[in-house]
Every structure is written in structure tokens, then in C-alpha cells.
Amino acid sequence: MRKIIVMLAVATVFASCQEDKGYFISGSAPEMENGKMIYVSEIDENTNRPKRIDSTSLENGEFELDLEDPETPNLSFLEFEGLQGNVIFIAENEKINFKVYKDSIRASEVNGGKENRLLYEYLGHLKNINEKVTKGRNAMRTAFQEQDSTKLATLQETETEIIDNDKVYKKKVVQENPDSFVSIMVISDMLRMKSYPTNEIKEMFDGLSEEIQNTAIGKQIGQNLEKESKVAVGSKAPNFTAPTPDGDELSLKDAMGKVTVIDFWAAWCKPCRVENPNLVRTYNKYKDDGLSVIGVSLDRPGQKDRWIKAIEEDGLPWHQVSNLQFWQDPVAQLYGIKAIPAAFVLDEEGTIVARDLRGDDLDNKIGELLNKG
């Protein structure tokens, strides 16, 4: 009997030492009235939008709430009845405390564990960078108006240094915190800003813990990186076949030259139409040396006439194809096109050697590849 009692006591102690499954939030909002509803939301995996998961009300300027741990780390928000804005935080198995300012919701203070400390360090860094860049660009505008070329050049060098330091900071955050949800947020920002080559971002992503890679945002980024890496500089350009204006089928491999430009554009795209004369000049300059261009149009269904008319108006003498499916064009999706104009430069072997060059930059790159520099 004594042995059984001892075993029960040990089991009780062991159970009491188990990690609590859930997290606790509390806070104060002294400027708000009693009874105001406070909602907790998190990013929904299916819709990628905030979804309310729980709520409480404000009593005597304070609130508290016990919440279940999410299956994977997730971005969360506090929303307040009748007020614009929210307070961002990361659900973690730590007590999280908020000090909420009614007239400046986004300036509210959040104190939690490692995840939230790192989150607010990162957000503070972004705010600081944004303020420096904004201040610098305002000064550049003034220097330009005053025709002060020396000051303008100095300010441009300063901005380049700020941006370079930002890139170093972000990479350091990811490398030093492979098991942090903040790291996947940083990688998401890198992808959006295109501040690093895709292969470097993929290497950083692969260094994250499995748990972070398997978050909703991690899965999405992983899929995007897989697509991006297929059309990154250094990758073999995926072959495709699409209809020409005459209704024939043309493949990339049949349109290849010593150097090939895949030009994504559309008749409705004004920046594309502005860029077309530059590409025409470059094509005429190098066509006899082996330059080939294949235009892929993202024109809308039922607007073949507009596509053909734009080709004639802009005097585009190279190969043209289009499925007339707007952004759903299978070639555009294969190449991960989210904005046009977009261009891929291929060498004779079909390897992507440059992306999204325009004007003189594109001309110079093609001249270099054709040994015409």
C-alpha cells in the first residue's frame, strides 16, 4: 500500500511539472471604457487573413485571457471594439502583457517571451530604417531642386549604406534565430522586397527549423521559393509552348538564339509600351549577332485584336506568343510573373543569366554576352 501511495505522489509531482499547453495574456487600457470588447485574432491558414479566435471585455481598465496554444507558431492580433488598428504579437507559451493606448493603438507596448521581444526589435528596426530613408529622400528632393549634385551624390551613398546595413541585419536575424517565427517574417520581407537573390533566400529558409518551415506562412514561402528557384539566375529556363498571332504553336527552344530575351508584356500595360522602343533598338542592334527575343503577352481573353494591334503599333519584329489568359497565363505562372514588364536573359545553353534589366542595362548585358562590349 505504501508503495502505491509513493508512486501516486511521484506521478502527481511529475504531472505538475508538465509544460502548460496554452498561453496567458493580460493588459491594461486605462483610457478605455469598461465593457469594451477585446478580440484576439490569428492569421487563418486557408484565407491568409485574420480570424477571431477568442474575446474578453475590459473591466476597470484591465483585461486577461487564457488561450490555447496554436498548432504551430502564428501571428496574432488584439482588436478593440469600435477602434481602428490592432496590436500585433506572436502566440508563445509565455505570459504576454499589453499596455494599450487608446489614441495610438499601434504604439501600444507588448512584453512577452523571446518571440515577442525579437518581434518588436525587428519592428523597431523597420521603423528606424523607414524614417532614415524617408528623411534622406526628402533631402534628395531638395538637393535636386537646388541642383546641388555633390550633396545629392552624398545622400544617395548614404541611402545605399542604410539599405546594405538593413540587409546585413535581416540576414543575421534569420541565421541566429532558426527556430523563431520572426525569422520566417523576415524572409517573407526579403522575398517581397527582392533584396536578396532567390538562391540565398532559399538557403536561409532551408536553415530554419522544421517547425517554422511547417507554419502556414512557411509552407507558402517554401512553395514560392521552389517556383522562384526554377527561374532564378543560374537556373535552366523552363521550356514552354504557346500560340502565335497566326494560331501556330511556338516553343521557347525553337526560338532560341545565342542570347535570348523572354519579354513578358501586354497591350494594356503602359510601362511595357514605354519600354518597347528600347527593346526594339537593342534587338535591331544585335539581331545579326545572334540575339533572339520572344514576347509573351498577358493580354485578356477575347482581346487578340488589341494584342496584334499593339505589336504593329510598337513595331515589334520578334517572335510573339500568348494564351490570352491575363495573369492566369500558364507561361507567366511557370515563370512566377507577378508584375510586367518582366524580362529574362538566357545564354546559348538556355541558362538564365539576368532578370528584369531594361534600357541601357539590358543593352549592355546583351553586348557583353555577345562579346560586343
Side-chain angles (χ1 to χ4, degrees):
M1 183 68 177
R2 176 179 174 80
K3 185 176 181 180
I4 294 173
I5 292 172
V6 171
M7 289 176 64
L8 287 172
V10 171
T12 301
V13 170
F14 179 77
S16 68
C17 293
Q18 297 301 297
E19 184 180 24
D20 293 333
K21 290 296 181 182
Y23 66 102
F24 177 78
I25 67 172
S26 63
S28 63
E31 300 165 337
M32 297 185 192
E33 61 272 19
N34 282 342
K36 181 177 284 295
M37 293 301 298
I38 301 172
Y39 304 98
V40 180
S41 301
E42 65 180 19
I43 296 294
D44 184 83
E45 184 173 348
N46 298 316
T47 65
N48 206 30
R49 294 177 177 275
K51 177 185 71 174
R52 288 178 179 175
I53 60 170
D54 213 332
S55 64
T56 186
S57 60
L58 194 66
E59 300 297 334
N60 299 318
E62 298 183 343
F63 62 91
E64 59 182 38
L65 193 62
D66 277 306
L67 293 144
E68 293 183 6
D69 257 350
E71 293 183 7
T72 58
N74 204 349
L75 200 59
S76 301
F77 309 88
L78 279 190
E79 301 174 82
F80 301 87
E81 179 186 5
L83 295 177
Q84 294 291 325
N86 53 51
V87 181
I88 184 174
F89 69 100
I90 294 174
E92 59 179 332
N93 195 20
E94 298 273 355
K95 291 182 179 179
I96 307 171
N97 184 261
F98 301 82
K99 187 173 182 180
V100 182
Y101 303 112
K102 179 180 178 180
D103 297 327
S104 185
I105 296 294
R106 290 181 180 173
S108 300
E109 299 174 28
V110 180
N111 292 294
K114 178 183 175 182
E115 285 281 17
N116 284 288
R117 284 196 296 272
L118 186 58
L119 171 64
Y120 274 85
E121 285 175 12
Y122 180 58
L123 293 178
H125 167 80
L126 293 182
K127 182 181 179 183
N128 185 39
I129 290 292
N130 185 59
E131 288 174 351
K132 286 182 177 179
V133 170
T134 300
K135 182 179 179 181
R137 288 185 179 174
N138 288 337
M140 282 185 211
R141 194 176 297 111
T142 301
F144 179 78
Q145 291 169 347
E146 294 174 351
Q147 298 184 345
D148 189 339
S149 58
T150 302
K151 185 175 182 180
L152 184 59
T154 301
L155 290 167
Q156 288 171 335
E157 288 176 7
T158 300
E159 179 172 307
T160 299
E161 183 179 349
I162 291 169
I163 292 171
D164 287 344
N165 289 338
D166 173 56
K167 290 168 66 176
V168 170
Y169 172 86
K170 286 176 177 173
K171 188 171 185 177
K172 184 178 179 183
V173 168
V174 174
Q175 291 178 333
E176 292 183 354
N177 300 278
D179 58 349
S180 171
F181 186 77
V182 176
S183 292
I184 200 68
M185 294 174 63
V186 175
I187 287 179
S188 178
D189 286 345
M190 286 178 171
L191 274 173
R192 180 174 51 84
M193 300 297 293
K194 299 185 183 298
S195 54
Y196 273 91
T198 300
N199 60 339
E200 286 191 38
I201 297 178
K202 190 172 188 307
E203 186 178 335
M204 285 185 267
F205 176 81
D206 290 342
L208 298 180
S209 69
E210 187 175 338
E211 181 186 28
I212 298 303
Q213 289 185 19
N214 286 329
T215 59
I217 185 174
K219 289 177 182 177
Q220 184 179 12
I221 287 174
Q223 292 170 359
N224 290 341
L225 282 171
E226 194 65 33
K227 290 180 182 177
E228 281 279 332
S229 62
K230 291 178 181 178
V231 291
V233 171
S235 300
K236 198 85 167 181
N239 190 41
F240 59 84
T241 300
T244 67
D246 295 331
D248 298 325
E249 294 286 320
L250 179 67
S251 69
L252 171 63
K253 65 180 181 180
D254 290 334
M256 294 276 292
K258 289 184 179 179
V259 173
T260 305
V261 175
I262 307 173
D263 177 44
F264 289 89
W265 73 293
W268 50 262
C269 169
K270 289 184 179 179
C272 303
R273 305 293 296 273
V274 169
E275 183 63 22
N276 277 342
N278 295 326
L279 188 52
V280 169
R281 281 193 294 273
T282 297
Y283 177 76
N284 289 333
K285 183 177 178 180
Y286 295 115
K287 64 180 180 179
D288 294 334
D289 297 306
L291 173 63
S292 179
V293 178
I294 179 168
V296 181
S297 169
L298 274 64
D299 277 291
R300 295 176 171 86
Q303 295 191 356
K304 183 175 181 179
D305 290 346
R306 288 191 62 187
W307 170 42
I308 294 174
K309 183 180 179 183
I311 294 172
E312 294 172 350
E313 287 178 346
D314 293 1
L316 310 182
W318 48 78
H319 302 294
Q320 293 286 345
V321 295
S322 180
N323 290 284
L324 296 173
Q325 293 184 26
F326 201 32
W327 293 106
Q328 284 68 49
D329 183 278
V331 182
Q333 293 193 343
L334 177 65
Y335 278 75
I337 301 301
K338 296 180 176 63
I340 53 176
F344 294 77
V345 182
L346 282 51
D347 66 13
E348 193 168 5
E349 302 302 319
T351 300
I352 299 169
V353 294
R355 290 183 56 171
D356 298 327
L357 299 180
R358 300 186 193 179
D360 290 341
D361 290 334
L362 178 61
D363 189 288
N364 293 336
K365 184 64 178 181
I366 291 170
E368 173 192 321
L369 293 167
L370 292 170
N371 297 315
K372 297 292 180 179

